[in-house]
mmCIF file of all heavy atoms in Angstrom:
data_model
loop_
_atom_site.group_PDB
_atom_site.id
_atom_site.type_symbol
_atom_site.label_atom_id
_atom_site.label_comp_id
_atom_site.label_asym_id
_atom_site.label_seq_id
_atom_site.Cartn_x
_atom_site.Cartn_y
_atom_site.Cartn_z
ATOM 1 N N VAL Q 90 7.281 136.316 18.405
ATOM 2 C CA VAL Q 90 8.413 136.070 17.508
ATOM 3 C C VAL Q 90 7.937 135.282 16.289
ATOM 4 O O VAL Q 90 8.347 135.567 15.153
ATOM 5 C CB VAL Q 90 9.537 135.316 18.245
ATOM 6 C CG1 VAL Q 90 10.641 134.918 17.273
ATOM 7 C CG2 VAL Q 90 10.106 136.180 19.358
ATOM 8 N N ALA Q 91 7.071 134.313 16.504
ATOM 9 C CA ALA Q 91 6.565 133.524 15.371
ATOM 10 C C ALA Q 91 5.831 134.413 14.370
ATOM 11 O O ALA Q 91 5.894 134.182 13.155
ATOM 12 C CB ALA Q 91 5.639 132.418 15.881
ATOM 13 N N SER Q 92 5.175 135.432 14.882
ATOM 14 C CA SER Q 92 4.442 136.324 13.983
ATOM 15 C C SER Q 92 5.390 137.179 13.143
ATOM 16 O O SER Q 92 4.990 137.741 12.120
ATOM 17 C CB SER Q 92 3.507 137.231 14.797
ATOM 18 O OG SER Q 92 4.275 138.160 15.542
ATOM 19 N N LEU Q 93 6.648 137.264 13.578
ATOM 20 C CA LEU Q 93 7.620 138.046 12.812
ATOM 21 C C LEU Q 93 8.289 137.224 11.715
ATOM 22 O O LEU Q 93 8.976 137.766 10.852
ATOM 23 C CB LEU Q 93 8.712 138.587 13.758
ATOM 24 C CG LEU Q 93 8.270 139.672 14.739
ATOM 25 C CD1 LEU Q 93 9.377 139.946 15.745
ATOM 26 C CD2 LEU Q 93 7.908 140.949 13.995
ATOM 27 N N CYS Q 94 8.110 135.911 11.793
ATOM 28 C CA CYS Q 94 8.719 135.042 10.788
ATOM 29 C C CYS Q 94 8.207 135.428 9.404
ATOM 30 O O CYS Q 94 7.010 135.563 9.192
ATOM 31 C CB CYS Q 94 8.389 133.582 11.073
ATOM 32 S SG CYS Q 94 9.566 132.812 12.160
ATOM 33 N N GLY Q 95 9.109 135.561 8.476
ATOM 34 C CA GLY Q 95 8.715 135.921 7.119
ATOM 35 C C GLY Q 95 8.557 137.413 6.921
ATOM 36 O O GLY Q 95 8.387 137.861 5.790
ATOM 37 N N ASP Q 96 8.612 138.170 7.997
ATOM 38 C CA ASP Q 96 8.532 139.633 7.882
ATOM 39 C C ASP Q 96 9.888 140.148 7.389
ATOM 40 O O ASP Q 96 10.898 139.973 8.078
ATOM 41 C CB ASP Q 96 8.191 140.238 9.252
ATOM 42 C CG ASP Q 96 7.938 141.733 9.161
ATOM 43 O OD1 ASP Q 96 8.407 142.366 8.187
ATOM 44 O OD2 ASP Q 96 7.279 142.274 10.073
ATOM 45 N N PRO Q 97 9.924 140.761 6.223
ATOM 46 C CA PRO Q 97 11.226 141.209 5.693
ATOM 47 C C PRO Q 97 11.864 142.303 6.536
ATOM 48 O O PRO Q 97 13.054 142.593 6.379
ATOM 49 C CB PRO Q 97 10.875 141.725 4.289
ATOM 50 C CG PRO Q 97 9.422 142.038 4.350
ATOM 51 C CD PRO Q 97 8.807 141.086 5.321
ATOM 52 N N ARG Q 98 11.070 142.901 7.427
ATOM 53 C CA ARG Q 98 11.638 143.976 8.263
ATOM 54 C C ARG Q 98 12.215 143.439 9.562
ATOM 55 O O ARG Q 98 12.709 144.196 10.386
ATOM 56 C CB ARG Q 98 10.551 145.012 8.574
ATOM 57 C CG ARG Q 98 10.029 145.741 7.342
ATOM 58 C CD ARG Q 98 8.760 146.476 7.665
ATOM 59 N NE ARG Q 98 7.714 145.549 8.136
ATOM 60 C CZ ARG Q 98 6.515 145.927 8.571
ATOM 61 N NH1 ARG Q 98 6.207 147.202 8.607
ATOM 62 N NH2 ARG Q 98 5.632 145.024 8.985
ATOM 63 N N ALA Q 99 12.131 142.109 9.748
ATOM 64 C CA ALA Q 99 12.630 141.506 10.991
ATOM 65 C C ALA Q 99 13.761 140.526 10.702
ATOM 66 O O ALA Q 99 13.814 139.920 9.632
ATOM 67 C CB ALA Q 99 11.496 140.789 11.715
ATOM 68 N N MET Q 100 14.659 140.406 11.649
ATOM 69 C CA MET Q 100 15.745 139.447 11.522
ATOM 70 C C MET Q 100 15.915 138.718 12.855
ATOM 71 O O MET Q 100 15.766 139.318 13.924
ATOM 72 C CB MET Q 100 17.053 140.158 11.154
ATOM 73 C CG MET Q 100 18.175 139.198 10.801
ATOM 74 S SD MET Q 100 19.583 140.040 10.019
ATOM 75 C CE MET Q 100 20.410 140.662 11.447
ATOM 76 N N VAL Q 101 16.188 137.422 12.767
ATOM 77 C CA VAL Q 101 16.375 136.611 13.966
ATOM 78 C C VAL Q 101 17.824 136.148 14.024
ATOM 79 O O VAL Q 101 18.376 135.715 13.003
ATOM 80 C CB VAL Q 101 15.425 135.388 13.968
ATOM 81 C CG1 VAL Q 101 15.610 134.576 15.242
ATOM 82 C CG2 VAL Q 101 13.977 135.839 13.823
ATOM 83 N N ALA Q 102 18.437 136.260 15.199
ATOM 84 C CA ALA Q 102 19.844 135.878 15.359
ATOM 85 C C ALA Q 102 19.972 134.833 16.453
ATOM 86 O O ALA Q 102 19.385 134.964 17.530
ATOM 87 C CB ALA Q 102 20.684 137.106 15.694
ATOM 88 N N ASP Q 103 20.752 133.802 16.169
ATOM 89 C CA ASP Q 103 20.994 132.702 17.111
ATOM 90 C C ASP Q 103 22.329 132.951 17.801
ATOM 91 O O ASP Q 103 23.379 133.008 17.153
ATOM 92 C CB ASP Q 103 21.032 131.386 16.333
ATOM 93 C CG ASP Q 103 21.107 130.168 17.242
ATOM 94 O OD1 ASP Q 103 21.831 130.232 18.257
ATOM 95 O OD2 ASP Q 103 20.471 129.150 16.940
ATOM 96 N N ALA Q 104 22.290 133.100 19.125
ATOM 97 C CA ALA Q 104 23.500 133.445 19.874
ATOM 98 C C ALA Q 104 24.211 132.227 20.447
ATOM 99 O O ALA Q 104 25.153 132.368 21.211
ATOM 100 C CB ALA Q 104 23.139 134.410 21.014
ATOM 101 N N ARG Q 105 23.782 131.030 20.061
ATOM 102 C CA ARG Q 105 24.378 129.824 20.651
ATOM 103 C C ARG Q 105 25.630 129.410 19.866
ATOM 104 O O ARG Q 105 26.005 130.028 18.873
ATOM 105 C CB ARG Q 105 23.338 128.705 20.654
ATOM 106 C CG ARG Q 105 22.075 129.050 21.441
ATOM 107 C CD ARG Q 105 21.009 127.991 21.243
ATOM 108 N NE ARG Q 105 20.714 127.822 19.830
ATOM 109 C CZ ARG Q 105 20.259 126.710 19.288
ATOM 110 N NH1 ARG Q 105 20.056 125.652 20.044
ATOM 111 N NH2 ARG Q 105 20.022 126.629 17.998
ATOM 112 N N SER Q 106 26.236 128.330 20.310
ATOM 113 C CA SER Q 106 27.453 127.856 19.656
ATOM 114 C C SER Q 106 27.120 127.302 18.277
ATOM 115 O O SER Q 106 25.964 126.997 17.964
ATOM 116 C CB SER Q 106 28.106 126.762 20.498
ATOM 117 O OG SER Q 106 27.277 125.617 20.517
ATOM 118 N N ALA Q 107 28.167 127.163 17.458
ATOM 119 C CA ALA Q 107 27.969 126.639 16.104
ATOM 120 C C ALA Q 107 27.393 125.224 16.139
ATOM 121 O O ALA Q 107 26.559 124.864 15.297
ATOM 122 C CB ALA Q 107 29.300 126.653 15.354
ATOM 123 N N GLU Q 108 27.835 124.441 17.119
ATOM 124 C CA GLU Q 108 27.346 123.064 17.211
ATOM 125 C C GLU Q 108 25.853 123.043 17.506
ATOM 126 O O GLU Q 108 25.087 122.300 16.894
ATOM 127 C CB GLU Q 108 28.090 122.297 18.306
ATOM 128 C CG GLU Q 108 29.560 122.007 17.992
ATOM 129 C CD GLU Q 108 30.457 123.200 18.259
ATOM 130 O OE1 GLU Q 108 29.967 124.188 18.844
ATOM 131 O OE2 GLU Q 108 31.644 123.153 17.871
ATOM 132 N N ARG Q 109 25.447 123.887 18.448
ATOM 133 C CA ARG Q 109 24.028 123.945 18.802
ATOM 134 C C ARG Q 109 23.206 124.502 17.643
ATOM 135 O O ARG Q 109 22.090 124.071 17.399
ATOM 136 C CB ARG Q 109 23.830 124.813 20.053
ATOM 137 C CG ARG Q 109 24.559 124.321 21.275
ATOM 138 C CD ARG Q 109 23.863 123.125 21.924
ATOM 139 N NE ARG Q 109 22.603 123.515 22.527
ATOM 140 C CZ ARG Q 109 21.461 122.865 22.325
ATOM 141 N NH1 ARG Q 109 21.433 121.812 21.532
ATOM 142 N NH2 ARG Q 109 20.360 123.276 22.907
ATOM 143 N N PHE Q 110 23.771 125.464 16.932
ATOM 144 C CA PHE Q 110 23.078 126.041 15.780
ATOM 145 C C PHE Q 110 22.864 124.969 14.711
ATOM 146 O O PHE Q 110 21.785 124.865 14.115
ATOM 147 C CB PHE Q 110 23.906 127.197 15.208
ATOM 148 C CG PHE Q 110 23.262 127.902 14.041
ATOM 149 C CD1 PHE Q 110 22.291 128.868 14.243
ATOM 150 C CD2 PHE Q 110 23.625 127.605 12.736
ATOM 151 C CE1 PHE Q 110 21.694 129.529 13.169
ATOM 152 C CE2 PHE Q 110 23.041 128.249 11.660
ATOM 153 C CZ PHE Q 110 22.077 129.222 11.881
ATOM 154 N N ALA Q 111 23.911 124.155 14.488
ATOM 155 C CA ALA Q 111 23.811 123.122 13.463
ATOM 156 C C ALA Q 111 22.780 122.066 13.844
ATOM 157 O O ALA Q 111 22.139 121.465 12.972
ATOM 158 C CB ALA Q 111 25.176 122.478 13.247
ATOM 159 N N GLU Q 112 22.607 121.835 15.116
ATOM 160 C CA GLU Q 112 21.640 120.827 15.559
ATOM 161 C C GLU Q 112 20.198 121.257 15.273
ATOM 162 O O GLU Q 112 19.308 120.417 15.157
ATOM 163 C CB GLU Q 112 21.806 120.576 17.058
ATOM 164 C CG GLU Q 112 23.073 119.792 17.410
ATOM 165 C CD GLU Q 112 23.355 119.793 18.898
ATOM 166 O OE1 GLU Q 112 22.480 120.245 19.672
ATOM 167 O OE2 GLU Q 112 24.453 119.365 19.284
ATOM 168 N N GLY Q 113 19.998 122.535 15.180
ATOM 169 C CA GLY Q 113 18.654 123.033 14.911
ATOM 170 C C GLY Q 113 18.528 124.471 15.365
ATOM 171 O O GLY Q 113 19.102 124.848 16.390
ATOM 172 N N HIS Q 114 17.840 125.261 14.588
ATOM 173 C CA HIS Q 114 17.686 126.674 14.949
ATOM 174 C C HIS Q 114 16.383 127.206 14.376
ATOM 175 O O HIS Q 114 15.721 126.537 13.567
ATOM 176 C CB HIS Q 114 18.874 127.486 14.437
ATOM 177 C CG HIS Q 114 19.127 127.337 12.965
ATOM 178 N ND1 HIS Q 114 19.965 126.379 12.447
ATOM 179 C CD2 HIS Q 114 18.638 128.008 11.902
ATOM 180 C CE1 HIS Q 114 19.990 126.470 11.128
ATOM 181 N NE2 HIS Q 114 19.179 127.452 10.772
ATOM 182 N N VAL Q 115 16.035 128.370 14.794
ATOM 183 C CA VAL Q 115 14.819 129.003 14.274
ATOM 184 C C VAL Q 115 14.997 129.220 12.774
ATOM 185 O O VAL Q 115 16.036 129.714 12.328
ATOM 186 C CB VAL Q 115 14.574 130.350 14.985
ATOM 187 C CG1 VAL Q 115 13.420 131.105 14.326
ATOM 188 C CG2 VAL Q 115 14.279 130.118 16.455
ATOM 189 N N ALA Q 116 14.019 128.811 12.011
ATOM 190 C CA ALA Q 116 14.122 128.919 10.557
ATOM 191 C C ALA Q 116 14.403 130.351 10.144
ATOM 192 O O ALA Q 116 13.736 131.283 10.593
ATOM 193 C CB ALA Q 116 12.838 128.431 9.904
ATOM 194 N N GLY Q 117 15.406 130.503 9.299
ATOM 195 C CA GLY Q 117 15.751 131.823 8.787
ATOM 196 C C GLY Q 117 16.693 132.609 9.673
ATOM 197 O O GLY Q 117 17.119 133.705 9.299
ATOM 198 N N ALA Q 118 17.032 132.049 10.833
ATOM 199 C CA ALA Q 118 17.904 132.789 11.754
ATOM 200 C C ALA Q 118 19.343 132.795 11.246
ATOM 201 O O ALA Q 118 19.791 131.828 10.630
ATOM 202 C CB ALA Q 118 17.854 132.157 13.140
ATOM 203 N N ILE Q 119 20.035 133.886 11.503
ATOM 204 C CA ILE Q 119 21.463 133.920 11.214
ATOM 205 C C ILE Q 119 22.201 133.451 12.457
ATOM 206 O O ILE Q 119 21.659 133.516 13.570
ATOM 207 C CB ILE Q 119 21.947 135.331 10.813
ATOM 208 C CG1 ILE Q 119 21.775 136.310 11.978
ATOM 209 C CG2 ILE Q 119 21.213 135.822 9.588
ATOM 210 C CD1 ILE Q 119 22.563 137.589 11.806
ATOM 211 N N HIS Q 120 23.406 132.966 12.267
ATOM 212 C CA HIS Q 120 24.194 132.514 13.417
ATOM 213 C C HIS Q 120 25.090 133.636 13.882
ATOM 214 O O HIS Q 120 25.927 134.142 13.141
ATOM 215 C CB HIS Q 120 25.045 131.295 13.036
ATOM 216 C CG HIS Q 120 25.794 130.740 14.192
ATOM 217 N ND1 HIS Q 120 27.104 130.357 14.120
ATOM 218 C CD2 HIS Q 120 25.404 130.523 15.467
ATOM 219 C CE1 HIS Q 120 27.502 129.913 15.293
ATOM 220 N NE2 HIS Q 120 26.490 130.007 16.133
ATOM 221 N N LEU Q 121 24.932 134.049 15.106
ATOM 222 C CA LEU Q 121 25.749 135.121 15.677
ATOM 223 C C LEU Q 121 26.150 134.670 17.077
ATOM 224 O O LEU Q 121 25.491 134.991 18.051
ATOM 225 C CB LEU Q 121 24.938 136.414 15.740
ATOM 226 C CG LEU Q 121 25.711 137.672 16.104
ATOM 227 C CD1 LEU Q 121 26.749 137.985 15.051
ATOM 228 C CD2 LEU Q 121 24.767 138.846 16.258
ATOM 229 N N PRO Q 122 27.245 133.896 17.178
ATOM 230 C CA PRO Q 122 27.559 133.256 18.454
ATOM 231 C C PRO Q 122 27.756 134.229 19.594
ATOM 232 O O PRO Q 122 27.435 133.939 20.725
ATOM 233 C CB PRO Q 122 28.828 132.470 18.158
ATOM 234 C CG PRO Q 122 29.385 133.063 16.919
ATOM 235 C CD PRO Q 122 28.221 133.572 16.147
ATOM 236 N N CYS Q 123 28.319 135.389 19.302
ATOM 237 C CA CYS Q 123 28.517 136.350 20.384
ATOM 238 C C CYS Q 123 28.706 137.725 19.771
ATOM 239 O O CYS Q 123 29.488 137.896 18.852
ATOM 240 C CB CYS Q 123 29.735 135.998 21.211
ATOM 241 S SG CYS Q 123 30.069 137.177 22.492
ATOM 242 N N ALA Q 124 28.014 138.693 20.287
ATOM 243 C CA ALA Q 124 28.105 140.040 19.736
ATOM 244 C C ALA Q 124 29.495 140.616 19.890
ATOM 245 O O ALA Q 124 29.863 141.557 19.210
ATOM 246 C CB ALA Q 124 27.099 140.956 20.414
ATOM 247 N N SER Q 125 30.296 140.059 20.791
ATOM 248 C CA SER Q 125 31.622 140.612 21.013
ATOM 249 C C SER Q 125 32.581 140.264 19.894
ATOM 250 O O SER Q 125 33.669 140.797 19.834
ATOM 251 C CB SER Q 125 32.178 140.105 22.339
ATOM 252 O OG SER Q 125 32.124 138.709 22.352
ATOM 253 N N SER Q 126 32.211 139.347 19.032
ATOM 254 C CA SER Q 126 33.025 139.075 17.858
ATOM 255 C C SER Q 126 32.747 140.188 16.856
ATOM 256 O O SER Q 126 31.677 140.274 16.294
ATOM 257 C CB SER Q 126 32.666 137.726 17.262
ATOM 258 O OG SER Q 126 33.198 137.631 15.967
ATOM 259 N N ARG Q 127 33.730 141.025 16.642
ATOM 260 C CA ARG Q 127 33.472 142.230 15.869
ATOM 261 C C ARG Q 127 33.106 141.943 14.422
ATOM 262 O O ARG Q 127 32.245 142.591 13.850
ATOM 263 C CB ARG Q 127 34.698 143.147 15.923
ATOM 264 C CG ARG Q 127 34.857 143.811 17.264
ATOM 265 C CD ARG Q 127 36.143 144.596 17.329
ATOM 266 N NE ARG Q 127 37.294 143.731 17.080
ATOM 267 C CZ ARG Q 127 38.049 143.808 16.015
ATOM 268 N NH1 ARG Q 127 37.808 144.680 15.093
ATOM 269 N NH2 ARG Q 127 39.070 143.006 15.866
ATOM 270 N N ILE Q 128 33.780 140.945 13.824
ATOM 271 C CA ILE Q 128 33.498 140.656 12.421
ATOM 272 C C ILE Q 128 32.070 140.138 12.282
ATOM 273 O O ILE Q 128 31.315 140.571 11.413
ATOM 274 C CB ILE Q 128 34.513 139.624 11.878
ATOM 275 C CG1 ILE Q 128 35.876 140.310 11.714
ATOM 276 C CG2 ILE Q 128 34.035 139.046 10.562
ATOM 277 C CD1 ILE Q 128 36.957 139.397 11.193
ATOM 278 N N ALA Q 129 31.700 139.206 13.174
ATOM 279 C CA ALA Q 129 30.346 138.657 13.112
ATOM 280 C C ALA Q 129 29.322 139.743 13.389
ATOM 281 O O ALA Q 129 28.283 139.828 12.727
ATOM 282 C CB ALA Q 129 30.212 137.515 14.111
ATOM 283 N N ALA Q 130 29.610 140.579 14.389
ATOM 284 C CA ALA Q 130 28.662 141.637 14.735
ATOM 285 C C ALA Q 130 28.534 142.649 13.599
ATOM 286 O O ALA Q 130 27.439 143.100 13.279
ATOM 287 C CB ALA Q 130 29.113 142.334 16.018
ATOM 288 N N THR Q 131 29.664 142.981 12.981
ATOM 289 C CA THR Q 131 29.622 143.931 11.867
ATOM 290 C C THR Q 131 28.820 143.358 10.706
ATOM 291 O O THR Q 131 28.017 144.054 10.091
ATOM 292 C CB THR Q 131 31.059 144.257 11.405
ATOM 293 O OG1 THR Q 131 31.775 144.770 12.521
ATOM 294 C CG2 THR Q 131 31.043 145.289 10.304
ATOM 295 N N ALA Q 132 29.045 142.076 10.424
ATOM 296 C CA ALA Q 132 28.294 141.442 9.336
ATOM 297 C C ALA Q 132 26.802 141.436 9.649
ATOM 298 O O ALA Q 132 25.971 141.690 8.780
ATOM 299 C CB ALA Q 132 28.801 140.020 9.114
ATOM 300 N N ALA Q 133 26.477 141.153 10.916
ATOM 301 C CA ALA Q 133 25.075 141.147 11.308
ATOM 302 C C ALA Q 133 24.478 142.543 11.190
ATOM 303 O O ALA Q 133 23.346 142.708 10.719
ATOM 304 C CB ALA Q 133 24.944 140.628 12.732
ATOM 305 N N LEU Q 134 25.235 143.528 11.607
ATOM 306 C CA LEU Q 134 24.729 144.905 11.542
ATOM 307 C C LEU Q 134 24.544 145.340 10.090
ATOM 308 O O LEU Q 134 23.618 146.090 9.775
ATOM 309 C CB LEU Q 134 25.696 145.846 12.274
ATOM 310 C CG LEU Q 134 25.739 145.639 13.790
ATOM 311 C CD1 LEU Q 134 26.843 146.471 14.416
ATOM 312 C CD2 LEU Q 134 24.396 145.991 14.411
ATOM 313 N N ASP Q 135 25.438 144.850 9.217
ATOM 314 C CA ASP Q 135 25.263 145.163 7.799
ATOM 315 C C ASP Q 135 23.946 144.590 7.279
ATOM 316 O O ASP Q 135 23.250 145.223 6.488
ATOM 317 C CB ASP Q 135 26.433 144.587 6.993
ATOM 318 C CG ASP Q 135 27.726 145.354 7.234
ATOM 319 O OD1 ASP Q 135 27.639 146.475 7.783
ATOM 320 O OD2 ASP Q 135 28.801 144.831 6.901
#
Side-chain angles (χ1 to χ4, degrees):
Chain Q
V90 173
S92 70
L93 290 171
C94 271
D96 187 338
R98 296 166 300 176
M100 189 167 82
V101 182
D103 187 320
R105 301 172 304 153
S106 67
E108 291 80 9
R109 300 283 291 131
F110 182 81
E112 287 169 9
H114 55 269
V115 172
I119 64 164
H120 184 224
L121 189 64
C123 177
S125 54
S126 165
R127 287 174 302 112
I128 288 180
T131 303
L134 292 172
D135 288 345

